[in-house]
């Protein structure tokens, strides 16, 4: 029976990073992956392919709408969707091969098949074809991630009624794409197909988009998306989707009650969230109970109630983010190796890769108010930033929330081009307990968009220069 | 790369506590420039830079205890080495520093000035509160802006300052909440801890008691007035009382050797030399430099040495060996106005003379009341080896010598 120090079930960003870190720390490590390629949802059907599509569709949109104004004459760009999808697939391939290379480099043994925890210390791997093998390990990390949340009464066929997976590979641009859920996935993929020519309508149960994001940010972003031509039906729910005709007939009801109405759509994207994926792990048999939301309960050291079994990433509590899972993967590997692994959940950035991007780290104004924290707000719009003006990308702003007494940065929220890259600066600052003044007194290169971060930090003290 | 090590600290001193680093990593230093202050149980000494260069590393942080020869830090011969006389910006600043420093606890980690957050650097410069004295709550104990603001507020509120949350072990019952915020907890310096321990040891060990007498200072004062200028001209130092007291004590010690002796196990060691300790109060605490072989020195030499010791004690410049080996001690509470006191022995010595304030008092002279400048004298002694008769005789002899200085000349 092959024996290891550590077996990681799942090779998404949580699992593969955990395996590599454990190997670096001298452990003999195996990974179990049920899909043909490594990398999990993120690399295969999530973050990576969606970013490829966001990138190409944005360039397509620019070529069609902004180039002429910049003096670049290309005529009306034509879309070659199959080539665009191939471009996306190449990006995915490059990434998943990279993980395979990293496994080889770190002498991590990969077992293809569905992993089941037969007993503490034993993982049974059942390949699609062929017999099952049993592996032995001192420690097991469950990193099986999450799956698409289903909408009750609606069957996803990944052709006309799709999840994010199908929405990344539509064979042709739908005339009308209906998106269920105004969260990150819905808005990103809605943006992709809007730019490629689809009419897009987003139906959201709540009366706002992007629940959990700072309200002011969400409100401004909502207006920007509407300007881009995305339609919103807020405080509404999809009651039914009739797929008997050529067109889908989507029945929408106001949440507060009132008259339902129908919308025709070529494609409906169900993007109402994700649920932890623990099927087939055999958790019940080993006495590992899930919480009321299907997550695996763990303690501060990522240990489950069963000794020797740990869990990280989307299967445990916390935001379902690849980088959160990665940090947990590193932390749990270090903890298993007897070191002091730790994840700071107060400083986990969150990015929506639309155009403009939305990025945040730390607390929202709503959270601070709820916690009775007195804070100062420093806000700076990109309309006053030289680089944004030169690029004519002036949508959005930077908002910094700092403790009124200590000036410590508690939250940073950015709407704007490149917000996802800019938030890293805020995360570093917060990780080191920086005051807004510290950001303000750090020299920022000119002309760059991050100067807006510095100006927002100055604005906390009501002394922004360019306002 | 040059190592900075703990220098030899003197006999029986094996370790020291880092008082304060004057330089931070990255600072340029010149040869012999003071780098760090070490507190021992006897003195506070400054360790000079063994080479010019840049202080590249601090191996022992403020508050740490280090043994003789231990590595304190390193100096690299960096290109940045400049003749450093530039003070740290935190040094030159406002009086706030004076109140700020003592209220803070030692930092968890010494952080290089250069690595401090810009807000912390600004607040340090503006307020004078040294970040190194502020407890840090940031990552890895870094001092962040909020810590500085709290420390500055704390300093401004002194002396009724709010206390730091006490991390130290509580050995006293917690104070009522109302009062707790108006207390402050300050760590004792090594010197203060040593003083405390040694005084209590002396009380616990010796069979200590005190005998009193009084001396008519008319003769000494007349002598001083008469020879003041001449003495000053010849010896370059003012003729004070202390020299004459030392002289009188030596004379009395010669007559009563038990007061100049000490107990060592079952033996008594009589010392046929006269090293007289002179207690000097300083801001850091009491120190007792020793004037050696007082029987062989002229009054001028003794006075000069005492003056020199007093000056250097105030500056914290006394060497350890200068405070070792005393056989008898004189302490003068009179300079603070004390009329009467019972000094505690400077163990393992067996006697200590307490001088007091000179005060005009009515005394009876040949049946008549006269006004005389009088001083009470106190001799605390270890009754284990000094008998009451000896102690009283000693004090009477001192009194007689002072009331009639001719006795000093005549050895009477």
């Amino acid at each position: 029976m092959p024996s290891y120090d550590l077996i990681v079930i799942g090779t998404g960003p949580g699992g593969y990073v955990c395996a590599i870190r454990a190997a670096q720390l001298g452990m003999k490590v195996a990974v179990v992956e049920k899909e043909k390629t490594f990398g999990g949802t993120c690399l295969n059907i999530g973050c990576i392919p969606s970013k490829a599509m966001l990138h190409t569709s944005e360039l397509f949109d620019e070529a069609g709408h902004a180039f002429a104004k910049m003096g670049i004459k290309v005529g009306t760009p034509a879309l070659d969707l199959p080539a665009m999808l191939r471009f996306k697939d190449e990006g995915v391939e490059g990434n998943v091969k990279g993980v395979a290379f990293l496994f080889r480099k770190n002498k991590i043994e990969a077992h293809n098949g569905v992993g089941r925890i037969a007993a503490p210390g034993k993982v049974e791997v059942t390949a699609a074809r062929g017999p099952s093998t049993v592996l032995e390990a001192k420690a097991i990390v469950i990193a099986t991630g999450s799956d698409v949340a289903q909408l009750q009464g609606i069957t996803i066929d990944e052709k006309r009624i799709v999840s994010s997976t199908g929405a990344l590979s539509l064979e042709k641009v739908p005339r009308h794409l209906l998106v269920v859920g105004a969260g990150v996935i819905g808005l990103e993929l809605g943006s992709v197909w809007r730019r490629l020519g689809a009419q897009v309508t987003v139906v959201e149960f709540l009366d706002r988009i992007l629940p959990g994001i700072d309200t002011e940010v969400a409100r401004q972003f909502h207006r920007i998306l509407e300007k881009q031509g995305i339609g919103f039906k807020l405080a509404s729910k999809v009651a039914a989707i009739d797929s008997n005709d050529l067109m889908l007939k989507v029945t929408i009801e106001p949440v507060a009650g009132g008259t339902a109405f129908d919308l025709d759509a070529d494609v409906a994207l169900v993007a109402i969230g994700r649920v932890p994926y623990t099927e087939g792990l055999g958790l019940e048999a080993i006495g590992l109970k899930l919480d009321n939301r299907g997550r695996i309960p763990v303690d501060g050291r990522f240990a489950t109630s069963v000794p020797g079994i740990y869990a990280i990433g989307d299967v445990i509590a916390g935001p379902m983010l690849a980088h959160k899972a990665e940090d947990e993967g590193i932390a749990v590997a270090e903890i298993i190796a007897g070191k002091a692994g730790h994840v700071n959940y107060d400083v986990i950035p969150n990015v929506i890769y639309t155009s403009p991007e939305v990025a945040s780290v730390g607390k929202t104004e709503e959270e601070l108010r709820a916690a009775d924290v007195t804070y100062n707000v420093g806000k700076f719009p990109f309309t006053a930033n030289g680089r944004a003006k030169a690029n004519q990308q002036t949508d959005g702003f930077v908002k910094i929330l700092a403790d009124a007494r200590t000036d410590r940065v508690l939250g940073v929220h950015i709407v704007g081009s490149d917000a996802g890259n800019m938030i890293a600066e805020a995360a570093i600052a917060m990780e080191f307990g920086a005051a807004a003044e510290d950001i303000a007194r750090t020299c920022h290169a000119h002309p760059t968009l991050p100067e807006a971060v510095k100006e927002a930090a100055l604005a906390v003290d009501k002394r922004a220069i360019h306002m | 790369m040059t190592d900075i090590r703990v220098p030899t600290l003197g006999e029986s001193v094996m370790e020291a506590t880092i008082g304060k680093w004057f330089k931070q990593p990255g600072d340029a230093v010149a040869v012999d420039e003071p780098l760090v202050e070490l507190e021992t149980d006897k003195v506070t000494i400054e360790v000079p830079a063994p080479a010019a260069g840049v202080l590249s590393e601090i191996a022992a942080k403020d508050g740490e205890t280090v043994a003789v020869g231990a590595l304190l830090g390193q100096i690299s011969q960096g290109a940045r080495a400049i003749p450093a006389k530039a003070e740290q910006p935190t040094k030159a600043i406002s009086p706030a520093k004076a109140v700020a420093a003592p209220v803070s606890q030692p930092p968890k980690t010494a952080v290089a000035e250069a690595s401090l957050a810009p807000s912390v650097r600004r607040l340090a410069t503006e307020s004078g509160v040294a970040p190194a004295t502020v407890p840090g709550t940031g990552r890895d104990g870094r001092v962040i802006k909020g810590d500085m603001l709290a420390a500055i507020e704390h300093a401004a509120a002194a002396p009724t300052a709010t206390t730091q949350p006490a991390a130290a072990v509580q050995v006293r019952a917690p104070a009522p909440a109302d009062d707790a915020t108006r207390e402050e907890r300050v760590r004792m310096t090594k010197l203060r801890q040593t003083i405390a321990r040694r005084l209590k040891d002396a009380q616990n060990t010796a069979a200590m008691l005190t005998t009193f007498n009084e001396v008519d200072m008319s003769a000494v004062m007349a002598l001083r007035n008469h020879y003041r200028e001449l003495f000053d001209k010849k010896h370059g130092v003012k003729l004070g009382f202390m020299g004459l007291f030392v002289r009188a004590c030596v004379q009395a010690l010669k007559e009563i050797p038990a007061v100049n002796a000490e107990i060592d196990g079952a033996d008594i060691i009589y010392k046929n030399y006269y090293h007289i300790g002179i207690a000097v109060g300083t801001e850091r605490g009491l120190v007792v430099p020793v004037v050696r072989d007082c029987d062989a020195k002229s009054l001028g030499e003794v006075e000069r040495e005492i003056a020199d010791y007093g000056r250097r004690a105030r500056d914290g410049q006394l060497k350890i060996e200068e405070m070792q080996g005393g056989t008898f001690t004189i302490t003068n509470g009179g300079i603070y106005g004390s009329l009467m006191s019972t000094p505690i022995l400077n163990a393992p010595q067996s006697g200590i003379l307490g001088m007091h304030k000179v005060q005009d008092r009515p005394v009876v002279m040949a049946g008549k009341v006269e006004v005389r400048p009088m001083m009470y004298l106190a001799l605390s002694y270890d009754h284990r080896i000094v008998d009451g008769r000896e102690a009283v005789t000693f004090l009477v002899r001192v009194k007689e010598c002072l009331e009639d200085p001719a006795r000093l000349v005549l050895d009477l």
Side-chain angles (χ1 to χ4, degrees):
Chain A
M1 191 186 309
S3 178
Y4 302 95
D5 294 321
L6 171 68
I7 294 174
V8 182
I9 305 176
T11 64
Y16 86 73
V17 167
C18 173
I20 292 170
R21 182 67 186 125
Q24 285 176 345
L25 292 168
M27 285 184 245
K28 188 182 177 200
V29 184
V31 292
V32 178
E33 175 56 59
K34 75 181 165 77
E35 299 291 341
K36 288 192 201 72
T37 53
F38 302 122
T41 300
C42 167
L43 273 68
N44 290 280
I45 50 170
C47 325
I48 295 298
S50 64
K51 259 77 270 173
M53 292 301 285
L54 282 158
H55 176 63
T56 50
S57 65
E58 187 175 351
L59 292 181
F60 178 78
D61 184 63
E62 264 189 41
H65 296 97
F67 274 17
K69 196 178 159 195
M70 297 179 200
I72 307 170
K73 287 195 177 169
V74 292
T76 307
L79 177 67
D80 180 351
L81 185 58
M84 190 178 275
L85 294 178
R86 272 202 303 283
F87 179 88
K88 172 207 70 176
D89 291 339
E90 280 166 18
V92 169
E93 201 187 328
N95 274 284
V96 298
K97 278 185 174 163
V99 175
F101 161 77
L102 291 171
F103 282 163
R104 282 196 303 278
K105 183 188 164 196
N106 288 284
K107 302 193 167 50
I108 294 162
E109 291 179 25
H111 296 267
N112 195 252
V114 177
R116 184 179 72 89
I117 301 173
K122 285 196 169 51
V123 177
E124 184 189 50
V125 183
T126 310
R129 288 192 198 105
S132 63
T133 50
V134 176
L135 313 175
E136 216 174 45
K138 292 183 192 127
I140 297 169
V141 170
I142 301 170
T144 45
S146 58
D147 197 1
V148 173
Q150 306 279 336
L151 196 54
Q152 213 173 7
I154 292 167
T155 312
I156 292 172
D157 60 19
E158 297 294 8
K159 292 288 177 196
R160 298 164 75 201
I161 301 178
V162 298
S163 70
S164 52
T165 309
L168 287 166
S169 301
L170 296 179
E171 283 166 9
K172 61 179 189 160
V173 179
R175 264 170 303 169
H176 184 197
L177 171 69
L178 186 122
V179 178
V180 188
V184 184
I185 297 169
L187 296 183
E188 286 187 359
L189 291 175
S191 290
V192 166
W193 296 106
R194 172 73 199 101
R195 295 167 191 166
L196 297 180
Q199 181 198 340
V200 174
T201 305
V202 179
V203 182
E204 168 58 46
F205 186 86
L206 298 174
D207 61 356
R208 56 166 290 175
I209 68 168
L210 293 176
I213 295 287
D214 188 89
T215 304
E216 186 185 19
V217 168
R219 205 178 294 137
Q220 171 144 7
F221 186 54
H222 184 180
R223 279 197 293 272
I224 292 170
L225 290 177
E226 278 186 329
K227 264 199 292 180
Q228 295 176 3
I230 294 178
F232 287 92
K233 302 273 182 249
L234 299 183
S236 303
K237 60 180 178 184
V238 172
I241 301 179
D242 180 353
S243 55
N244 290 325
D245 283 332
L246 215 57
M247 293 286 277
L248 299 171
K249 192 189 285 286
V250 182
T251 307
I252 297 164
E253 281 176 2
V255 171
T259 333
F261 56 96
D262 291 344
L263 282 180
D264 287 342
D266 306 273
V267 175
L269 162 60
V270 178
I272 57 169
R274 298 181 66 82
V275 289
Y277 182 75
T278 55
E279 266 174 52
L281 279 170
L283 299 183
E284 213 163 300
I286 55 167
L288 215 171
K289 286 194 181 59
L290 303 178
D291 71 9
N292 57 0
R293 294 169 68 179
R295 302 176 298 201
I296 299 175
V298 292
D299 64 13
R301 304 170 68 249
F302 306 102
T304 67
S305 57
V306 180
I309 300 181
Y310 302 81
I312 57 163
D314 288 3
V315 287
I316 67 169
M320 289 184 172
L321 295 168
H323 42 274
K324 175 253 191 190
E326 286 182 43
D327 282 13
E328 288 176 345
I330 285 176
V332 77
E334 290 173 348
I335 287 166
I336 291 169
K339 294 176 179 297
H342 178 72
V343 176
N344 182 1
Y345 290 98
D346 291 332
V347 185
I348 294 182
N350 189 8
V351 182
I352 301 155
Y353 297 88
T354 44
S355 178
E357 293 182 340
V358 178
S360 61
V361 61
K363 299 277 187 276
T364 64
E365 287 202 55
E366 293 73 44
E367 286 170 332
L368 292 177
R369 278 200 291 271
D372 253 348
V373 177
T374 49
Y375 60 94
N376 292 326
V377 181
K379 230 170 86 174
F380 191 80
F382 283 105
T383 46
N385 173 272
R387 183 66 174 278
K389 266 186 177 147
N391 291 359
Q392 299 200 8
Q393 291 177 322
T394 54
D395 277 343
F397 59 86
V398 178
K399 176 162 82 171
I400 293 181
L401 310 176
D403 188 292
R405 197 172 48 82
T406 65
D407 197 30
R408 185 173 184 152
V409 177
L410 303 172
V412 178
H413 305 273
I414 307 176
V415 185
S417 180
D418 230 13
N421 287 328
M422 278 187 271
I423 205 69
E425 163 183 8
I428 293 264
M430 287 176 66
E431 189 64 45
F432 284 86
E437 183 189 343
D438 294 326
I439 297 176
R441 288 188 186 276
T442 300
C443 191
H444 285 62
H446 176 78
T448 57
L449 299 176
E451 284 178 287
V453 177
K454 175 182 169 174
E455 289 275 6
L458 287 165
V460 169
D461 194 27
K462 298 182 174 58
R463 56 189 188 96
I465 299 294
H466 294 91
M467 279 267 284
Chain B
M1 203 70 91
T2 309
D3 288 348
I4 310 157
R5 292 189 180 275
V6 180
T8 308
L9 299 167
E11 63 179 281
S12 81
V13 181
M14 296 317 294
E15 60 175 35
T17 303
I18 309 284
K20 178 178 166 43
W21 278 91
F22 305 120
K23 297 284 174 181
Q24 297 295 339
D27 286 356
V29 296
V31 183
D32 288 340
E33 190 177 9
L35 286 180
V36 56
E37 184 179 77
L38 297 182
E39 290 179 358
T40 72
D41 48 12
K42 295 227 168 64
V43 275
T44 300
I45 61 165
E46 290 175 354
V47 179
V54 174
L55 181 61
S56 55
E57 195 199 344
I58 285 180
K61 298 169 187 113
D62 293 5
E64 276 185 21
T65 299
V66 288
V68 170
L71 185 70
L72 290 167
Q74 287 186 318
I75 292 175
S76 63
Q77 275 74 29
R80 288 181 49 203
I82 44 166
K85 68 175 203 352
E87 295 263 271
Q88 275 174 258
T90 52
K91 271 195 160 175
I93 325 298
S94 72
K97 179 175 185 173
V99 281
V103 301
S104 305
Q105 296 167 340
K108 282 184 228 149
T109 44
V111 183
E113 185 86 344
S115 78
L116 292 169
S119 60
V120 173
R121 294 201 295 266
R122 174 183 67 83
L123 288 167
T125 308
E126 290 176 1
S127 71
V129 171
T133 64
V134 176
T137 64
R139 188 175 168 127
D140 302 330
R142 283 175 174 76
V143 176
I144 60 177
K145 184 175 179 180
D147 302 332
M148 285 298 285
L149 290 172
I152 292 163
E153 191 181 339
H154 192 149
T160 54
T162 55
T163 182
Q164 301 282 349
V169 181
Q170 292 267 4
V171 289
R172 62 192 279 266
D178 274 2
D179 298 338
T181 55
R182 289 178 291 162
E183 294 175 350
E184 68 175 270
R185 182 172 285 266
V186 179
R187 192 167 179 78
M188 280 200 281
T189 62
K190 196 88 175 174
L191 181 61
R192 172 56 57 195
Q193 290 178 41
T194 302
I195 291 169
R197 181 171 45 76
R198 293 188 51 143
L199 289 175
K200 196 61 208 159
D201 282 353
Q203 273 190 330
N204 291 342
T205 309
M208 190 160 57
L209 77 163
T210 307
T211 180
F212 300 101
N213 212 315
E214 63 178 341
V215 53
D216 177 352
M217 296 290 283
S218 307
V220 168
M221 289 167 86
L223 180 75
R224 199 166 70 148
N225 287 337
H226 191 245
Y227 292 107
R228 176 180 286 162
E229 280 173 32
L230 207 57
F231 188 89
D232 197 348
K233 199 180 275 177
K234 168 144 193 211
H235 297 287
V237 64
K238 263 195 263 173
L239 176 58
F241 293 148
M242 191 55 93
L244 288 161
F245 271 82
V246 168
R247 260 298 153 82
C249 283
V250 170
Q251 185 127 333
L253 288 171
K254 282 181 175 169
E255 187 174 336
I256 316 287
V259 183
N260 201 41
E262 73 175 81
I263 294 181
D264 181 28
D267 299 335
I268 295 175
I269 300 171
Y270 290 100
K271 296 163 198 162
N272 297 316
Y273 51 88
Y274 304 91
H275 297 345
I276 309 296
I278 310 292
V280 181
T282 72
E283 276 178 23
R284 297 153 198 258
L286 185 76
V287 292
V288 188
V290 176
V291 182
R292 261 151 237 280
D293 296 315
C294 290
D295 55 327
K297 281 179 180 157
S298 73
L299 203 58
E301 284 171 316
V302 170
E303 283 287 1
R304 251 201 317 275
E305 253 185 71
I306 291 170
D308 175 53
Y309 278 152
R311 212 167 24 246
R312 288 194 290 128
R314 274 188 299 280
D315 297 343
Q317 300 286 335
L318 287 177
K319 295 185 192 120
I320 283 180
E321 56 267 26
E322 291 174 332
M323 307 209 281
Q324 290 172 331
T327 59
F328 181 83
T329 298
I330 302 177
T331 178
N332 184 3
I335 58 174
Y336 307 115
S338 170
L339 210 53
M340 182 81 88
S341 66
T342 59
I344 295 178
L345 287 171
N346 186 5
Q349 297 167 19
S350 299
I352 180 167
L353 180 81
M355 293 163 60
H356 299 95
K357 186 186 173 187
V358 178
Q359 194 184 44
D360 285 344
R361 277 199 294 270
V363 289
V364 178
M365 292 279 173
K368 282 205 309 208
V369 175
E370 285 189 32
V371 173
R372 291 296 177 105
M374 301 300 291
M375 178 196 281
Y376 290 116
L377 293 179
L379 175 76
S380 292
Y381 60 100
D382 188 347
H383 209 348
R384 291 180 301 168
I385 57 169
V386 181
D387 292 335
R389 180 186 57 80
E390 291 174 316
V392 174
T393 305
F394 175 92
L395 206 50
V396 167
R397 198 65 70 236
V398 171
K399 167 191 165 77
E400 285 172 352
C401 287
L402 292 165
E403 290 187 342
D404 180 10
R407 281 172 169 266
L408 291 172
V409 182
L410 301 172
D411 193 11
L412 294 172

